[in-house]
Amino acid sequence: MVELMVILLLIFAFAAIFIVWLVLLIEAVRTPTGVWQAAGQNQVVHILLMVVLGALGTLIYALTARPQLRSAAQPIR
């Protein structure tokens, strides 16, 4: 019974990681090139990192590029 719970927990964890990876990958692809340029980031590099490195590339994107993209995309008030 314990093995089944561990297996189910691992399946849930991998599914959650995959969903986060996919959502952030779609977000990176759909972000306009102008926003990437305004943030001083390279879209191709970050997308390749996310595809090649998986969760680690997504973590790099989420911690480095994403905050800058969000601030660059906000209109100046």
Side-chain angles (χ1 to χ4, degrees):
M1 187 64 152
V2 173
E3 293 98 12
L4 179 62
M5 293 299 289
V6 170
I7 291 171
L8 289 175
L9 183 63
L10 286 174
I11 290 172
F12 178 76
F14 283 121
I17 290 170
F18 176 76
I19 290 169
V20 168
W21 172 80
L22 187 61
V23 167
L24 289 178
L25 181 64
I26 291 169
E27 175 185 295
V29 170
R30 293 188 66 187
T31 301
T33 305
V35 175
W36 284 90
Q37 291 172 348
Q41 297 291 328
N42 190 321
Q43 185 176 21
V44 175
V45 169
H46 280 285
I47 290 172
L48 284 175
L49 281 174
M50 292 172 75
V51 170
V52 172
L53 298 179
L56 180 61
T58 302
L59 184 63
I60 293 168
Y61 165 76
L63 295 177
T64 60
R66 192 169 188 237
Q68 293 176 1
L69 291 170
R70 287 181 154 214
S71 64
Q74 292 178 349
I76 300 173
R77 295 177 190 194

